Structure formats: C-alpha cells, structure tokens
Amino acid sequence: MEIKILDENTINKIAAGEVIERPASIVKELIENSIDADASKIVIEVEEGGKKLIKVSDNGIGMDKKNSLLCFKKHATSKIRNINELENLKTLGFRGEALSSICAVGRVEIITKKRGQLIGTKILIENGREKKILDIGCNAGTTTIVKDLFYNLPARKKFLKTKRTELANIIEQVTNMAIAYHEIYFKLLHNGKEILVAPKTSNLLDNIVNIFGKDLAKDLVPIEYKDKDIKIKGYISKTEVAIKNQKMQFFYVNKRYVKSYLISNIIKDVYRKYLPKDKFPIAFLFIEINPRLIDVNVHPTKRLIKFSNEKEIYNSIFSTLKNALQDSFLAPKMELMGKEIKFSFPKDKERFMVKEKTDFSYLAKAQKKILKSERMLKDKEKKAKIPEIEVICQFANNYIIGRGFRDDENLIIIDQHAVHEKIIYEQLIKIYDSKEKHTQNLLTPKILELGLKEKSIIEEYLDLLNEIGFRIEEFGGNSYIVKSVPIVMGRLESIDVIHEIIEDLLTIGIVRETSILKEKIAQIVACHSSVRAGDVLTISQMNDLINQLRNLDNPFNCPHGRPTIIILSKRELEKRFGRR
Ligand code: ADP
Ligand code: MG
C-alpha cells in the first residue's frame, strides 16, 4: 500500500477521539473552561443523556470576537505561552484542544460576550469550520452548545451507552467538579428536569452536605496537613462506616479531579486494619502541591497525574490519614447517667461496621402471614422440592451442612446467604402481586437525607418501592421520611441499608418492562436484607431457613442464578473414595 498523509479533517476526528469519548467528556471540558474563565455560576443542560444536546452556560470573563474566532482552532489556548509555563500552571486547561476536538465530532454553537463589552458574538461551527458569525446582544459570559454528538462518526456513535448510563456519567462528572468548587454555583438539568443543584457555600463540608446529604457528614473526620511543598485537606470516613466500592473516594490535586493508584493504595493501607477487604471508606482528599512536582500531562484527559516524589507523598498522606483516624477513636462518647457524666471509649469491635443482623425470626412470621393470606399453607408439604433435611452443623460461618432426614443417602450443603436472599426475593415478588402490602411500621420513622444523585434515583423508583411495601415520602428539600419497610426486611437497623439500595438502583440501567423492573428491585432489596456469609447461626435458625427454602417454587437458585444448595449423594462419595 502507498503511504499518504491524512487530510486535516480525518486527523482532527482521530485526535478528537482521545479527548472526547462520550457526552460526559464534553461536559467535563466545558465546565473546566468555565472555571478557568472565572465563572461563579455554571449551568449544564443536557438532553437524551447528552447525545442530542449539551449546553454549558457560564458568567465568566467571556471572549471578544477575535478570540471567539480562534478558540475552536487546534492548539488555540490563552492559558500558556510556552512549555515552561506548565511549571506554574494555575488553570485546568492548557492543551488548547478541547474545543477543536468537540467541534470535530458535533455541531457546535458558541455564544459569548467579554465582560465590559456591549456586543456579543454567536458562531455556528460544523466540521471544525465556522459556518455563520453574528453580532448579538447577550449577557457577559459564554454558552457553548453541542448538538448531535458523533453525527459525522456513525461508528463511534454506536459505542455510546444508553441514555441513562451516559447521564449517570455526566452526573458523576458534574459532581466531581461541584465538590471541588464550593464557591461556584452548579446546576445540571436533564430534558428540562433539575437533576443536581450545588449552591455556593462557604466551605467544603457544607458543600459535601449539599451534594450528598446530612447523613454522610456525621460519619466524616477532618484531615489537615501542611509543609513546604504539600498541603492536604479534606474528610475521610470513620472506620465503622464503609461502602462496597470506591465510588465515594474523591481525589483532587491542585483542585483537579484525578484518579490515582498511589492515593487509592494509601487509603487501603490506612484502613487495612479496620475494614474487611471488600469494604471501602469514603474520602474527599484535596492535595495542594507545588506544580513543579507533578506532571498532569501524562494523559490527554488529564485524569492521571504523576508525582515526582511518590515516596514523600505516600508518607505525608499516610500519616495524615492515620493520625486523623486515631484522633477520632480517642474522642470519647458522652453518656449521661443520672447526674454523672460518664465517658466511654468505643470498643475495638464497635469500630467495625458489623451492623449486620442475624436475628430473622421475624422472617418466619412474615412468611406465614403471606402464605396464609394466599391460602397456600395446606399444600405446602406437597410442593416441597427438596427433601426434609436434618442439620448437622454450620461450616465456615456460611454453609449449613445437613443430611436427608429420612435416610442417610445424601450429604447436603446449603449457602445461607444465597438461601436467605432467595426467600426474601420470592416474598417480595409475591407482595408485588398481592393487594396486601405486609409492611412493618418503624417505631420511629427514619429521616433519609439524600444527595442529589440519590434523590433523582429515588424519585424515579419511589412508586415501585412503595408498591413492594416501603412507605417512603417526601419530607421537603432533599429529605425523605421512611415510615415503613417490607415486613420481610425485619427491623430496619440502619438507614445505611436504604442508601445501599438506592446506590444499587442506579445500576438497573434502562428497563421499560415493569415486571422486569419489579424483579430487579426485589433482587436489590433482597440482597440488602439477608443474612450475610459470615453470620453465626443457631441450629434452630438454620432449620427455619431450610423450612422456608423447601416451600419455594424454585429453591435451587438465588436471585442472581447461583446455586443455593449442593447435594452430594452417598454414591458420589463412594465413587470418589474408589469404593465403586
Ligand atoms: P484550553 O482550555 O486547553 O485552553 P480549549 O480548547 O478548551 O483549550 O479552549 C480554548 C480557549 O478558548 C481557551 O484557552 C480560552 O481562552 C477560550 N475559552 C474556551 N471556553 C471559554 C469560556 N467558557 N469562557 C471564556 N473563554 C473560553
Ligand atoms: Mg479547556
């Protein structure tokens, strides 16, 4: 094949791929430009997960006509003049390629007016070239509109995910920025509906509360450290609080949101003693460092950064976090006993989030009620698909070992978590279909303080949650009140369970069929209501579980499709021992 130099249009489209992967990348770049332009208010409007339209408006310094005609050209930037200025970088942008990349992959309109000038400019850009330029009257600041993302790159358009997933990415992106800039007002709208509003606040903690809800704030410990080259600030969660992924860990270096294995690992190391392997703490870490000691230019999206002195960074962050945690243990809990004030220090055990429940006698009661109301009690024995089982013992705190009750022919191994999850799941599905909702009123209703992302999720699923036996109602602002829960959930030990359920609801993705949606919700609620692997059970608790399992239509699989029970026949054992 002959070698040819690609034409400029093709080069631009290829290069754009590095910076603009999806709608959320555009949102990120445009917000960064607004922040660099000294905006105190940024409004992001998107339609159809950003695939159809993305519009970012700011009240920043704006551009005059000359600059507005340059800004979307390749390598056009007002932020650095030469490579040495990278050492003193104060802005988020510097590569001068965001706008040109965006213009290569979508139809763009820029409306801008420089502060202090009378007339603004509107430019329409298509395939990287200006199509139309107009003088117009507008407010100072800049609005950038991107329509029909990848209209000219069908192959890339195909790789976009569902609207909901793209929107989730956008929410994440806006949240990342809003956390770091408490002095800026952010608002995100999707198809005209308000998704997230982060008003200006005077400090980081107020900002976190606005974004994630009050419930989070009480679980946080402040951190602070300062020396010549590095300052560390922020909040980390107490050791008794943790979630099952790293989504609530936010790292910023010089106010730039970054992913950093180094910092993730420091956090793991600090909490290693306190948390099980599959639980992760929450962290908001702000590192201010001499720009000379980092390289932000290792990746086009600037998400990854390199520290030149990793070892020192490790040591300062590690000891800052460790000391903050240790201080939090020492804070005594105050208890008022009569007139005396007694101080008690949290015991080692209390530091872990082993708030998981093992008592589920309520479950048997609940099931009876449901069975009765459906008049299924009488043919219960007939339907059982699993033989009666005699419990021998619990193994590894997770498996119930038993044998066939009437004969000695089968060795039976049951996964307690999978079984319990399945029982609750089936009951929840029944509740959906039945008129009686079998709810359990909470003695004291619990207030749920929601972050903005959580709020948008609960709004979407509120009706379906209430139909399954919850009673959750709006309580003004970002608060909801939980009055009752499905009876199969038992006592609601901690409001965290609801937060975990909401977190999982986000993963449902696009589902239009209500019956499938109900199944998914039941799956999620069941997962968060069941006994865990690791809970010690008494023989009678194990018998309870088995009896309930025997009454299920399909006792053999958990809601995720994994097996609940393994039966090893005597024959099979004999074969393995070479007796047959
Ligand atoms: P970079 O941010 O790396 O400089 P961009 O392509 O994102 O590159 O933007 C090019 C230039 O356009 C910026 O340097 C800036 O001068 C100007 N610009 C872009 N967006 C805005 C905005 N919202 N307000 C004012 N100026 C802007
Ligand atoms: Mg930029």
Side-chain angles (χ1 to χ4, degrees):
M1 277 257 279
E2 240 180 292
I3 293 180
K4 274 200 181 133
I5 307 288
L6 293 172
D7 65 76
E8 195 172 309
N9 198 346
T10 312
I11 296 174
N12 287 347
K13 283 179 181 170
I14 291 173
E18 284 188 44
V19 196
I20 308 301
E21 277 169 332
R22 50 177 10 99
S25 346
I26 296 185
V27 170
K28 167 191 173 270
E29 293 295 339
L30 295 181
I31 293 178
E32 288 193 349
N33 281 347
S34 297
I35 293 173
D36 283 345
D38 188 35
S40 63
K41 179 172 177 179
I42 302 174
V43 178
I44 304 108
E45 297 172 65
V46 296
E47 283 174 23
E48 311 300 314
K51 297 184 200 183
K52 194 171 153 207
L53 178 129
I54 296 169
K55 177 174 170 187
V56 176
S57 318
D58 67 50
N59 62 353
I61 53 174
M63 289 177 271
D64 60 16
K65 192 169 195 165
K66 182 170 146 253
N67 274 347
S68 67
L69 283 167
L70 280 174
C71 71
F72 58 91
K73 306 284 181 205
K74 263 198 308 178
H75 315 300
T77 182
S78 56
K79 298 172 193 174
I80 56 169
R81 292 276 164 269
N82 56 54
I83 199 71
N84 299 327
E85 290 188 17
L86 264 190
E87 297 215 330
N88 234 324
L89 193 67
K90 292 270 177 349
T91 52
L92 294 166
F94 60 84
R95 295 171 60 110
E97 61 187 4
L99 285 181
S100 69
S101 299
I102 293 169
C103 289
V105 295
R107 296 182 228 270
V108 178
E109 201 177 310
I110 298 174
I111 300 157
T112 185
K113 193 177 88 172
K114 191 173 167 173
R115 277 182 194 161
Q117 290 194 343
L118 285 175
I119 307 241
T121 314
K122 174 170 168 173
I123 312 175
L124 300 180
I125 304 145
E126 233 178 86
N127 276 319
R129 270 177 237 281
E130 60 267 30
K131 240 180 97 184
K132 217 179 194 176
I133 307 164
L134 294 169
D135 287 340
I136 54 160
C138 59
N139 290 332
T142 304
T143 298
T144 309
I145 303 169
V146 185
K147 284 188 198 150
D148 306 326
L149 181 58
F150 299 139
Y151 74 99
N152 49 359
L153 291 164
R156 297 209 45 207
K157 195 170 172 173
K158 269 212 307 257
F159 279 100
L160 289 177
K161 302 259 169 57
T162 61
K163 280 177 244 170
R164 188 195 300 268
T165 307
E166 296 297 351
L167 175 63
N169 282 318
I170 291 172
I171 295 176
E172 211 172 293
Q173 206 65 254
V174 177
T175 307
N176 292 344
M177 305 297 250
I179 291 170
Y181 291 86
H182 65 79
E183 67 280 21
I184 298 179
Y185 170 104
F186 285 89
K187 177 152 96 177
L188 169 65
L189 298 142
H190 183 242
N191 294 345
K193 202 175 142 213
E194 230 171 62
I195 301 273
L196 191 157
V197 182
K200 280 192 219 187
T201 58
S202 61
N203 62 60
L204 173 62
L205 190 61
D206 286 350
N207 197 34
I208 292 175
V209 165
N210 269 334
I211 298 172
F212 296 102
K214 267 196 215 109
D215 285 342
L216 181 62
K218 68 176 184 332
D219 298 330
L220 298 176
V221 178
I223 49 170
E224 190 150 17
Y225 174 86
K226 208 179 201 171
D227 80 9
K228 187 161 82 355
D229 283 324
I230 177 171
K231 273 192 217 157
I232 305 167
K233 245 183 23 185
Y235 292 89
I236 51 175
S237 55
K238 297 177 183 164
T239 50
E240 64 264 33
V241 184
I243 59 171
K244 62 177 190 301
N245 54 44
Q246 286 165 297
K247 281 194 193 148
M248 283 297 287
Q249 296 187 356
F250 300 89
F251 312 142
Y252 300 84
V253 174
N254 295 349
K255 280 196 140 187
R256 186 191 300 282
Y257 175 83
V258 295
K259 296 266 180 219
S260 160
Y261 295 113
L262 180 72
I263 306 177
S264 305
N265 282 332
I266 297 175
I267 294 196
K268 269 190 206 140
D269 290 348
V270 172
Y271 282 83
R272 181 155 292 155
K273 275 205 299 214
Y274 309 112
L275 293 179
K277 264 209 203 76
D278 56 345
K279 294 272 170 162
F280 301 90
I282 296 161
F284 301 90
L285 277 193
F286 287 82
I287 298 167
E288 238 180 86
I289 187 167
N290 187 335
R292 224 167 300 143
L293 302 176
I294 51 170
D295 185 357
V296 287
N297 203 13
V298 284
H299 191 268
T301 64
K302 315 186 202 89
R303 272 293 173 258
L304 298 171
I305 62 161
K306 236 170 49 201
F307 295 99
S308 63
N309 51 347
E310 291 204 342
K311 203 153 178 200
E312 284 157 43
I313 298 278
Y314 183 101
N315 289 337
S316 10
I317 301 181
F318 183 87
S319 53
T320 306
L321 301 194
K322 205 174 125 217
N323 294 341
L325 275 188
Q326 232 121 46
D327 290 350
S328 81
F329 300 151
L330 291 177
K333 268 196 204 157
M334 214 168 59
E335 266 173 286
L336 211 59
M337 304 201 34
K339 274 192 190 146
E340 239 179 306
I341 292 180
K342 204 179 128 205
F343 289 102
S344 71
F345 292 92
K347 293 190 204 77
D348 231 21
K349 225 175 108 197
E350 291 172 9
R351 292 188 199 145
F352 297 88
M353 194 196 175
V354 196
K355 291 177 189 161
E356 286 148 344
K357 42 185 181 281
T358 45
D359 170 31
F360 49 90
S361 52
Y362 64 87
L363 192 66
K365 269 186 244 153
Q367 196 193 20
K368 244 187 221 145
K369 222 168 146 186
I370 293 165
L371 285 175
K372 212 166 164 185
S373 73
E374 302 196 350
R375 292 178 220 295
M376 283 173 59
L377 208 49
K378 58 179 189 299
D379 50 20
K380 148 178 158 191
E381 281 308 314
K382 232 180 5 202
K383 275 178 65 183
K385 294 193 172 138
I386 293 178
E388 272 182 82
I389 294 166
E390 183 189 348
V391 173
I392 301 172
C393 65
Q394 190 186 24
F395 171 70
N397 289 348
N398 185 39
Y399 301 100
I400 301 170
I401 310 292
R403 65 169 153 240
F405 195 71
R406 288 176 213 284
D407 55 51
D408 217 0
E409 296 291 310
N410 293 310
L411 174 68
I412 295 157
I413 307 166
I414 292 173
D415 178 328
Q416 64 186 46
H417 174 65
V419 164
H420 196 229
E421 198 174 331
K422 177 63 179 229
I423 294 168
I424 295 186
Y425 169 78
E426 294 256 324
Q427 293 182 349
L428 288 171
I429 290 290
K430 280 192 184 133
I431 293 175
Y432 263 133
D433 298 337
S434 94
K435 275 206 197 78
E436 273 185 74
K437 289 307 173 202
H438 308 293
T439 68
Q440 158 135 327
N441 291 336
L442 300 180
L443 284 178
T444 46
K446 302 217 165 161
I447 305 287
L448 193 59
E449 289 288 344
L450 294 184
L452 294 152
K453 191 163 149 194
E454 287 186 314
K455 196 178 161 200
S456 76
I457 293 165
I458 201 147
E459 272 169 7
E460 182 160 2
Y461 295 110
L462 195 61
D463 288 343
L464 283 173
L465 285 172
N466 287 344
E467 220 180 294
I468 211 173
F470 285 95
R471 225 161 82 225
I472 304 178
E473 292 165 10
E474 276 185 57
F475 198 53
N478 288 340
S479 316
Y480 282 75
I481 185 158
V482 186
K483 290 186 170 164
S484 32
V485 297
I487 199 162
V488 291
M489 280 185 85
R491 282 173 288 133
L492 184 68
E493 303 259 327
S494 149
I495 202 79
D496 294 340
V497 174
I498 309 274
H499 285 291
E500 283 170 26
I501 289 173
I502 297 174
E503 167 90 358
D504 279 4
L505 288 173
L506 182 67
T507 62
I508 285 186
I510 223 161
V511 175
R512 287 206 186 77
E513 186 64 49
T514 324
S515 63
I516 297 177
L517 207 52
K518 285 177 177 176
E519 278 169 27
K520 296 216 169 199
I521 291 176
Q523 242 180 46
I524 289 169
V525 174
C527 185
H528 290 289
S529 315
S530 38
V531 289
R532 300 278 149 188
D535 283 346
V536 180
L537 303 182
T538 64
I539 297 275
S540 93
Q541 287 175 324
M542 290 190 264
N543 276 325
D544 259 3
L545 268 188
I546 291 171
N547 285 333
Q548 293 171 53
L549 177 70
R550 293 182 64 234
N551 289 315
L552 298 181
D553 289 340
N554 170 12
F556 298 105
N557 297 99
C558 81
H560 307 287
R562 290 188 295 272
T564 52
I565 181 164
I566 292 173
I567 301 180
L568 264 180
S569 66
K570 193 166 135 205
R571 242 180 108 86
E572 171 77 24
L573 282 177
E574 283 171 346
K575 226 163 65 191
R576 294 209 185 184
F577 282 113
R579 285 165 172 265
R580 275 189 186 238

